[in-house]
Amino acid sequence: MNETERPILPTAYWPSLSWMSALVHRPEAAIETGERFEKQSFRNRCSISGPNGRMLLVIPLKHESLKQSCEQRISYAENWRKVHLKAFESAYGKTPFFLFLHDELTDLYSNKYEYLVEWNRATIQLLCTWFQIGVPVEHRSAECVPSLPETGNCAPPVKLSSYPQLFEHRHGFLENLSSIDLLASEGPAAYSVLLGR
């Protein structure tokens, strides 16, 4: 397979179910870190389901005029890592499988990466470990690639089936949350949901 045919995905912070489903269906996909960075996107934010509905968690970035995703540096002016970890604990602490994720989440949020792609790589590696799938390689094109959609150049994933969410009785089923939502709720059955079964 040459580079122009390789399926590619953009970098993402705690990737969504669509992103993970695309990876499951195209395990040979690479993560393109040389794409044009798009502000206010899944590259530095994720959605989870909390007691009050959809919650957006954002990694703050340093305000620099850098174009590529691989150049984006994280700001630690605020203690966002503590806020994000507490948000996960509040949202998923009572789900059936969160206990199995908690220690590794806590370890992750004790780290301090300089670049966004490093932080995203760590979240993607954890998700791949939990889903028991291969970790995609990273690729950086020589020239800046236009911003990619959430599932890159992979065909849109299959329609994902719903699964029980902790606060569904309050807000209805919330689609395309971070993949952590599925893992905390379904545990070992999560992979089947990604396959569209």
Side-chain angles (χ1 to χ4, degrees):
M1 177 184 320
N2 66 41
E3 288 303 316
T4 57
E5 295 172 348
R6 179 190 282 275
I8 55 173
L9 291 163
T11 187
Y13 176 50
W14 290 118
S16 70
L17 292 174
S18 292
W19 193 101
M20 287 302 294
S21 181
L23 177 61
V24 164
H25 286 90
R26 298 298 302 269
E28 72 278 18
I31 297 173
E32 175 59 71
T33 63
E35 66 159 343
R36 178 174 292 279
F37 181 75
E38 188 175 320
K39 294 179 181 178
Q40 299 183 4
S41 72
F42 52 83
R43 290 158 185 85
N44 69 318
R45 55 192 62 209
C46 71
S47 293
I48 63 174
S49 175
N52 299 317
R54 189 178 291 266
M55 295 172 56
L56 192 62
L57 302 179
V58 180
I59 296 179
L61 301 174
K62 293 185 176 180
H63 297 291
E64 301 170 321
S65 299
L66 302 170
K67 294 182 178 168
Q68 292 180 299
S69 290
C70 59
E71 300 173 314
Q72 305 305 312
R73 294 193 308 160
I74 298 172
S75 171
Y76 291 95
E78 299 170 14
N79 195 355
W80 61 268
R81 292 174 299 160
K82 181 179 179 181
V83 172
H84 288 204
L85 183 58
K86 290 292 182 195
F88 282 119
E89 291 169 346
S90 171
Y92 301 117
K94 294 182 180 175
T95 58
F97 297 96
F98 184 72
L99 182 63
F100 299 102
L101 313 177
H102 185 265
D103 289 348
E104 289 176 286
L105 271 177
T106 302
D107 289 346
L108 175 67
Y109 281 96
S110 68
N111 291 312
K112 198 170 184 179
Y113 298 102
E114 181 177 2
Y115 291 95
L116 177 65
V117 292
E118 294 172 325
W119 188 270
N120 289 353
R121 180 184 314 125
T123 66
I124 291 166
Q125 286 174 335
L126 264 182
L127 286 172
C128 289
T129 298
W130 291 333
F131 279 111
Q132 299 180 354
I133 60 175
V135 178
V137 298
E138 289 185 359
H139 175 265
R140 182 177 179 183
S141 294
E143 296 182 21
C144 192
V145 172
S147 292
L148 295 165
E150 190 171 22
T151 56
N153 68 357
C154 301
V158 296
K159 173 88 170 123
L160 300 174
S161 57
S162 62
Y163 54 92
Q165 292 176 332
L166 186 62
F167 301 106
E168 188 173 354
H169 64 285
R170 291 188 194 177
H171 314 293
F173 181 78
L174 300 178
E175 293 187 357
N176 209 29
L177 297 173
S178 167
S179 299
I180 282 191
D181 185 83
L182 173 61
L183 284 161
S185 300
E186 291 291 281
Y191 185 75
S192 294
V193 175
L194 287 183
L195 289 174
R197 295 181 183 154

